[in-house]
Amino acid sequence: HQQGGYGSDAYGGGDEFESEPAPEESEEAASRDELDNCVGPILQHVDTVVKGLRRVVPQRRALVGVLRGLWDSLGADALKFVEEDLRQRSSWRLRLMATGAVDKISTAIVGAIRDALGHDVKEKDFEPPMPVRKLTDFIEGTASDSVSVF
């Protein structure tokens, strides 16, 4: 039995009846890839910063304070981008990309906070900073005045 040959998939089956993915699926996969390419370097930077901070900030609560400050700063940058994008009446896709990036960064920082505090973590440690909340509210459409246009 031959695998990977012409007319077969990895399981030895023919591919003559396989269809192309739906355009929506292709667009969604492309958007995910674009988001991963955009956020990847930022997540690497966050990881580098977290590792460096662990070496120089031995107090766990102080480390969490710095991580929350980083989270706030990155969220504020994304919120500023979305506000500017709205003023220019650009694409909704870019705003969704910014929000997706903040979601991934938030997950990374929450993980770093969890790692730093272990069993001493409190629910308030995971509460997103104001810019991240505003951005999330805006994208979810739960607050009409979350992002000011003017």
Side-chain angles (χ1 to χ4, degrees):
H1 180 257
Q2 205 178 7
Q3 285 190 350
Y6 180 76
S8 68
D9 62 18
Y11 303 102
D15 60 356
E16 59 274 3
F17 297 111
E18 292 180 15
S19 64
E20 291 291 315
E24 301 84 32
E25 292 172 10
S26 296
E27 287 177 23
E28 188 176 313
S31 292
R32 274 194 306 270
D33 290 347
E34 186 179 0
L35 178 61
D36 290 343
N37 289 337
C38 173
V39 177
I42 298 168
L43 291 175
Q44 287 175 339
H45 178 71
V46 167
D47 187 53
T48 301
V49 167
V50 168
K51 287 176 182 172
L53 286 171
R54 283 190 180 151
R55 284 193 301 271
V56 299
V57 181
Q59 299 85 5
R60 294 183 310 163
R61 279 285 161 195
L63 174 61
V64 169
V66 173
L67 290 173
R68 290 193 55 81
L70 176 64
W71 192 8
D72 182 78
S73 176
L74 292 170
D77 286 346
L79 183 61
K80 183 178 175 183
F81 170 82
V82 168
E83 289 173 338
E84 186 60 34
D85 198 57
L86 277 170
R87 281 187 201 92
Q88 295 176 3
R89 307 218 184 277
S90 187
S91 72
W92 179 251
R93 186 182 70 76
L94 290 177
R95 293 188 284 275
L96 288 177
M97 292 287 288
T99 305
V102 168
D103 286 346
K104 287 181 173 264
I105 292 165
S106 294
T107 299
I109 291 178
V110 164
I113 291 171
R114 183 177 289 118
D115 290 348
L117 293 178
H119 295 296
D120 295 332
V121 71
K122 295 178 176 55
E123 193 61 36
K124 70 177 179 125
D125 296 319
F126 299 141
E127 290 176 9
M130 184 62 70
V132 174
R133 285 196 310 268
K134 281 186 172 186
L135 191 57
T136 302
D137 288 349
F138 170 72
I139 293 298
E140 291 175 353
T142 58
S144 59
D145 60 347
S146 291
V147 178
S148 60
V149 178
F150 299 102

